[in-house]
Amino acid sequence: MYVGLDVGGTNLRAGLVDEAGRLLAVRKIPLGEFRGAEPFAKTLASLAAQAARDGGISPERLEYVGMGIPGAAAKGEVLYTCNIPMKNVPLARLFRNYLDVPVLLENDANCAAVGEYFCGAGRGTKNFAMVTLGTGIGGGFILNGKLYSAGGMAGEVGHMVVEKGGVPCACGRRGCWEAYASATGLIRMTREAMERDKTSRLWEESGGGTAITGRTAFAAALRGDETAKALCGTFVAYLAAGVVNLLNIFQPEVLAIGGGIGEAEEGLLLAPLREIADRESYAARCGGKVSVVRAALGGDAGMIGAALLGRII
C-alpha cells in the first residue's frame, strides 16, 4: 500500500492507493498560511498517517509515501516553488521526522501525468503529455514509457512566455503562459472584463464580484452572455498557444488537460482548443493525428500518480 500526497496551491490531499491504482481513502485539508518547512512537513506526515488509518492500515506499514509538489523537486528536496515559499528544503528528510517511511518527491504535474498514464487518459500510450490548469499551470511528460524529469526542473511549462512584455508572473517574468491560461490568469481577465461591462452576467455569476472563480466565465457564457463568451474565446486562444507549442515539441500520442478548469464544458473549452490544435500543430499539417482530451481521473490524478511513482522512477 502507498499514500499519495498532492500539495496544491489551495488544499493538501492524501490518498491511500493499492497496487492496482485504486484510491481507497482520502483526507483533505486547506493549505492555510505557510508557517515554515518543519511545521509543513509535520502537517503532511499527519495527513498521510490519517489517510492510511482511514484505509485500515498502520502508517508504518506503508511501502512509501509519494508526494507531488507545485514546483521543482529532486532527490527528496524541494528546489523551488513560486506559489508556496520554499527553496532548497529537504522535505523528505523533515517528513521522516514525523512518519518514518520512504518518501518519493516529484513535481505535482509529473505526478498527475503518472496517474493518468497508468490509470487514465494516457493508458496504452508510450508518449503522453499532461497539462494541469489550477492556481498555476503544470506539465508532465512520459516519453517512451519514462517520466521526463531532468533533475527535477522539467515540465515548468507555465513559465514559457506567450505574451512578450505581458502581465507579471509570480516567477518574476512577464507574459508567462501561467499568467494567462491558469485559473489565476482567468480570474484576473474575468475581473477586467467585468470592469469593462457593468451589465455582464459575470457580475451575477460571481456574486457581484465577490466570488470570481475559474469557472465564472464559462458559467456566464453558457447563459449566453456575450462578454463571457468573448472572454472564454480569449482564454482558449492563450491556452492553445501553449498546447500547440507542446504538441510540436514532444509529439505525444495523447495530450490530456486536467485541473479545475479542465472540467469546463466541452463546447467552450476542449472543442475550440482541438480546432486550433488541428489547424496549427505541425503534426496536423503533416497529416498526423492530434489527440487533445480531458484528463480521466479529475482531481485524483495527482494523488494516484504520487502513490505510483515507484513504478516509473
Side-chain angles (χ1 to χ4, degrees):
M1 293 282 200
Y2 321 94
V3 163
L5 277 165
D6 184 16
V7 178
T10 304
N11 295 303
L12 306 175
R13 302 178 76 220
L16 181 67
V17 177
D18 67 10
E19 290 283 350
R22 292 176 298 204
L23 197 57
L24 306 179
V26 176
R27 280 274 180 160
K28 172 183 172 182
I29 60 172
L31 173 64
E33 182 182 352
F34 184 78
R35 299 181 181 278
E38 190 81 36
F40 187 60
K42 183 177 182 179
T43 296
L44 292 175
S46 174
L47 192 63
Q50 288 169 356
R53 292 190 189 100
D54 287 349
I57 73 163
S58 168
E60 291 74 19
R61 292 178 54 203
L62 293 170
E63 188 166 335
Y64 62 78
V65 170
M67 193 184 306
I69 295 291
K75 297 180 179 179
E77 183 173 325
V78 177
L79 304 177
Y80 174 71
T81 66
C82 63
N83 293 316
I84 301 174
M86 287 190 289
K87 186 174 183 179
N88 299 325
V89 172
L91 190 58
R93 177 175 61 80
L94 296 177
F95 181 97
R96 296 192 71 168
N97 290 336
Y98 303 99
L99 179 56
D100 193 16
V101 297
V103 178
L104 301 178
L105 195 61
E106 255 297 345
N107 170 267
D108 59 349
N110 284 351
C111 290
V114 170
E116 291 285 344
Y117 178 72
F118 283 120
C119 303
R123 189 182 299 178
T125 67
K126 292 190 72 175
N127 296 292
F128 172 68
M130 175 85 180
V131 172
T132 59
L133 307 177
T135 305
I137 295 181
F141 306 94
I142 312 293
L143 304 178
N144 199 27
K146 297 180 180 179
L147 178 65
Y148 181 60
S149 184
M153 291 177 281
E156 290 296 330
V157 296
H159 301 295
M160 61 178 168
V161 170
V162 296
E163 189 73 71
K164 184 66 176 175
V167 299
C169 177
C171 75
R173 302 183 78 192
R174 283 184 170 271
C176 286
W177 192 28
E178 182 169 297
Y180 291 87
S182 66
T184 305
L186 182 53
I187 289 169
R188 173 185 56 79
M189 291 191 292
T190 300
R191 187 173 290 110
E192 292 169 352
M194 291 166 63
E195 290 302 319
R196 291 192 299 268
D197 183 359
K198 299 292 187 181
T199 66
S200 170
R201 286 187 183 270
L202 290 167
W203 288 95
E204 182 181 341
E205 290 292 338
S206 64
T210 62
I212 303 172
T213 72
R215 299 298 299 275
T216 300
F218 294 101
L222 281 174
R223 297 179 63 187
D225 184 80
E226 293 300 325
T227 294
K229 287 194 284 186
L231 174 59
C232 289
T234 298
F235 174 79
V236 170
Y238 277 121
L239 178 60
V243 165
V244 171
N245 287 343
L246 297 179
L247 291 172
N248 288 347
I249 294 167
F250 293 107
Q251 300 295 334
E253 295 157 63
V254 173
L255 184 147
I257 303 292
I261 293 178
E263 299 295 324
E265 291 68 21
E266 179 90 9
L268 292 173
L269 182 71
L270 287 182
L273 177 60
R274 289 192 196 102
E275 185 178 319
I276 297 172
D278 286 340
R279 184 174 67 244
E280 297 187 3
S281 71
Y282 194 77
R285 288 176 178 271
C286 295
K289 185 176 182 299
V290 174
S291 183
V292 179
V293 303
R294 194 188 310 275
L297 303 180
D300 295 337
M303 282 189 299
I304 294 172
L308 299 180
L309 280 171
R311 292 189 183 182
I312 205 165
I313 63 172

